[in-house]
Amino acid sequence: MPENKIFGQMQSVISVFVDPVAWPAIYEELDLPVSYVSIVSMLISGGTVISSLLSVRLVARLGTEKITAISTSLTAVALFGFSCSHNLLWLCLCAIPLGIGAGSIDTALNNYVALHYYAMQMSFLHCFYGIGVSLSPYLMSLALSENMNWRKGYRTVFFIQMTIAVITIITLPLWKKVQTAQTDEEKIFKLADYRCQSGTDLSKYDISNS
């Protein structure tokens, strides 16, 4: 389902890029030094790096479809946690699943699309990455224009994220159908290649059951 992958890429960027825009309002309300944004950013980046490095094992164990569902859910929970934060510790705790979720889905989806789709689908994937980069600061800016209500901004992004997570979970069975179709297509190409090399008559083989 290329649509799931595209929306998944957009949500991973929305969830990460919303934080820097909100920080000027956050540090004033929570009475924190401006420099503390680096702590939150480092935790998000650290979670992203760790999950990216572990993505090969995670995808091999769970599959791309489950990684996508888990990652979108993780980032949704983290965003809701940000909207409820009242101190630095809570911000730091929420930053960890935010980074892990964003890193996992980014690596898994790029790998999956590269292996199973074409350049056009990969271009759409990264096109929606750009949409996420542009949309997240805009949404937070709208929230901040209303009495610097950064919590509302996080909750808005949370609802978007949760919607994508629910769609991803509901469509999990569709991944198996797509994978089955792709497997059959790979068999056709392999048999066609074998025929070209050996001159074997391809009609002898039942491709759908081979």
Side-chain angles (χ1 to χ4, degrees):
M1 298 297 293
E3 295 85 0
N4 285 350
K5 300 162 187 60
I6 288 173
F7 281 119
Q9 185 74 3
M10 183 175 67
Q11 64 83 22
S12 70
V13 185
I14 288 176
S15 59
V16 173
F17 275 80
V18 76
D19 183 59
V21 181
W23 185 253
I26 294 175
Y27 84 81
E28 287 186 0
E29 180 177 325
L30 302 184
D31 194 25
L32 299 172
V34 180
S35 60
Y36 277 21
V37 67
S38 60
I39 299 175
V40 179
S41 298
M42 284 293 292
L43 287 172
I44 295 175
S45 300
T48 301
V49 171
I50 292 172
S51 61
S52 298
L53 293 174
L54 296 176
S55 62
V56 175
R57 295 182 180 179
L58 292 174
V59 170
R61 180 180 293 272
L62 300 175
T64 305
E65 65 277 14
K66 292 181 181 178
I67 291 294
T68 303
I70 293 171
S71 296
T72 51
S73 301
L74 266 179
T75 49
V77 171
L79 287 168
F80 184 75
F82 267 100
S83 71
C84 300
S85 298
H86 293 284
N87 53 59
L88 179 64
L89 177 61
W90 192 251
L91 291 173
C92 292
L93 290 175
C94 294
I96 296 173
L98 184 64
I100 291 175
S104 295
I105 193 171
D106 191 33
T107 307
L109 289 184
N110 274 284
N111 175 69
Y112 189 89
V113 173
L115 291 176
H116 298 94
Y117 290 92
Y118 302 99
M120 182 178 69
Q121 283 82 9
M122 182 64 80
S123 296
F124 272 110
L125 188 73
H126 290 96
C127 173
F128 272 74
Y129 180 96
I131 292 175
V133 171
S134 304
L135 184 60
S136 55
Y138 176 73
L139 291 174
M140 182 56 74
S141 297
L142 286 178
L144 293 176
S145 65
E146 300 179 5
N147 300 321
M148 300 295 283
N149 192 350
W150 58 273
R151 297 182 189 277
K152 182 179 178 181
Y154 273 109
R155 288 199 179 101
T156 300
V157 180
F158 159 74
F159 286 123
I160 296 174
Q161 187 83 342
M162 202 66 233
T163 301
I164 296 174
V166 171
I167 293 173
T168 304
I169 294 171
I170 292 175
T171 57
L172 278 175
L174 298 179
W175 285 73
K176 294 181 180 179
K177 294 182 180 180
V178 173
Q179 289 169 350
T180 300
Q182 289 168 343
T183 301
D184 291 340
E185 184 178 356
E186 289 174 0
K187 290 179 181 178
I188 293 173
F189 281 121
K190 288 180 180 178
L191 287 172
D193 184 60
Y194 175 75
R195 180 187 178 187
C196 292
Q197 293 181 8
S198 62
T200 304
D201 186 3
L202 191 61
S203 62
K204 297 178 181 180
Y205 296 91
D206 184 2
I207 295 175
S208 60
N209 298 318
S210 59

